[in-house]
Amino acid sequence: MFNDIFEYYYVVPIFSFLLIALTVAINNWGITPIEYKLMTNFKKVQVVGSTILIETIVLSVFWITVSFAFGSIEGMLKDNELENNTMNIIMIMLGIVILSFCMTIAINFSNFIGKEILIMKYLYYVNLQDSKEKWYLERKSSQNKILLSNNKGEFLFVSEWENLIFKTETKSLNKMQKFIFSSERKTHIISLILIGVIVILYIIAIKVDLNTIGNFILLFGNVFLISVFIWLDKARRIVYG
């Protein structure tokens, strides 16, 4: 029965692009990188949890609407010899919500991986009055304290940090970033390859009749590649301007 849910879900690559864009927007809405760095772990979990909840609701509503609009719900009931009653419809809708939640987890996981691989890391440091060396921001340790460290491996808790002026230092590129951004031409070629693969997967989603697992793997692959493409484009604009 779950495989029938995918019947009119071939529009997911397009909708996934919008949903990933929504993920990026929610995670970065009015928040600078240093503000995110200063969030406690609990606050970060709240942000991720809220994002997943919003996206699951949006995706479920979209999926259910498409299913009703194209008669997919009635078709599932008929194919599985189920009565067209409220309970069976609710069970199908519950299945859609569960699959939407799984897709949302996949989208956020893809978003996280794409960001970690492609976006350059920044270090934030401050010059304290009684020290000439750089003290790097590690994290916010509590509501009122931040943890700093220096190149000697020393750590310092600072409680009065509201008026400190933090400066930015770019972390060295990892091997993947050095390969991708070694030249602008190579970056464009990789972007075109990603677009080509996404289009191929999109065609497969429309033309090929797959089982539930195959459909889900195909959708996850498309979502992952779309997420990588978005972050690659963002990283390209940072590197080359």
Side-chain angles (χ1 to χ4, degrees), residues 66-119:
V66 170
S67 297
F68 272 110
F70 288 92
S72 183
I73 299 291
E74 290 80 0
M76 277 185 280
L77 292 171
K78 184 178 179 179
D79 293 342
N80 292 276
E81 298 181 352
L82 297 174
E83 293 183 12
N84 191 349
N85 56 43
T86 304
M87 182 58 66
N88 288 330
I89 292 175
I90 290 176
M91 291 301 295
I92 292 175
M93 293 173 64
L94 180 60
I96 291 175
V97 172
I98 293 172
L99 288 176
S100 297
F101 175 74
C102 293
M103 284 301 301
T104 302
I105 295 295
I107 288 170
N108 280 271
F109 176 76
S110 301
N111 181 63
F112 173 78
I113 296 298
K115 184 177 180 180
E116 287 296 310
I117 292 175
L118 298 171
I119 296 298

Side-chain angles (χ1 to χ4, degrees), residues 26-239:
I26 292 175
N27 288 337
N28 296 275
W29 186 275
I31 299 177
T32 61
I34 191 170
E35 284 179 307
Y36 187 79
K37 181 82 172 177
L38 288 170
M39 283 185 182
T40 61
N41 290 334
F42 180 73
K43 183 63 177 179
K44 290 177 182 177
V45 170
Q46 282 184 313
V47 171
V48 174
S50 299
T51 302
I52 291 175
L53 177 61
I54 292 172
E55 290 175 344
T56 300
I57 294 173
V58 171
L59 185 55
S60 297
V61 170
F62 168 80
W63 201 341
I64 291 171
T65 302
V66 170
S67 297
F68 272 110
F70 288 92
S72 183
I73 299 291
E74 290 80 0
M76 277 185 280
L77 292 171
K78 184 178 179 179
D79 293 342
N80 292 276
E81 298 181 352
L82 297 174
E83 293 183 12
N84 191 349
N85 56 43
T86 304
M87 182 58 66
N88 288 330
I89 292 175
I90 290 176
M91 291 301 295
I92 292 175
M93 293 173 64
L94 180 60
I96 291 175
V97 172
I98 293 172
L99 288 176
S100 297
F101 175 74
C102 293
M103 284 301 301
T104 302
I105 295 295
I107 288 170
N108 280 271
F109 176 76
S110 301
N111 181 63
F112 173 78
I113 296 298
K115 184 177 180 180
E116 287 296 310
I117 292 175
L118 298 171
I119 296 298
M120 282 66 71
K121 302 295 189 299
Y122 294 97
L123 300 175
Y124 301 95
Y125 69 91
V126 64
N127 297 113
L128 300 178
Q129 292 182 352
D130 55 348
S131 176
K132 296 182 179 180
E133 59 188 332
K134 296 178 180 178
W135 285 89
Y136 294 93
L137 175 63
E138 290 290 332
R139 61 184 175 85
K140 190 174 182 180
S141 60
S142 65
Q143 190 66 27
N144 300 315
K145 290 184 180 181
I146 58 173
L147 178 63
L148 305 177
S149 66
N150 59 18
N151 291 324
K152 298 178 182 178
E154 299 173 332
F155 294 89
L156 176 67
F157 287 98
V158 178
S159 56
E160 298 181 2
W161 52 273
E162 288 83 359
N163 296 320
L164 293 179
I165 298 176
F166 287 91
K167 300 177 182 179
T168 304
E169 181 179 290
T170 305
K171 197 174 181 179
S172 59
L173 301 180
N174 58 42
K175 293 181 179 180
M176 180 70 73
Q177 290 168 342
K178 289 178 179 178
F179 172 78
I180 294 173
F181 302 112
S182 58
S183 70
E184 190 169 3
R185 182 172 178 272
K186 180 184 287 187
T187 306
H188 280 301
I189 291 174
I190 293 174
S191 297
L192 290 174
I193 291 173
L194 280 174
I195 293 174
V197 175
I198 290 170
V199 170
I200 291 172
L201 291 180
Y202 184 51
I203 294 172
I204 293 173
I206 297 174
K207 298 295 185 180
V208 181
D209 186 19
L210 300 173
N211 57 25
T212 304
I213 296 176
N215 274 316
F216 194 82
I217 292 175
L218 182 66
L219 294 177
F220 176 77
N222 224 323
V223 166
F224 179 76
L225 291 177
I226 292 172
S227 180
V228 170
F229 175 79
I230 290 175
W231 284 111
L232 177 62
D233 182 67
K234 185 173 182 178
R236 179 188 60 79
R237 286 186 275 110
I238 294 174
V239 174

Side-chain angles (χ1 to χ4, degrees), residues 12-22 226 229-230:
V12 74
I14 298 174
F15 191 72
S16 294
F17 182 89
L18 300 176
L19 204 58
I20 293 170
L22 176 64
I226 292 172
F229 175 79
I230 290 175

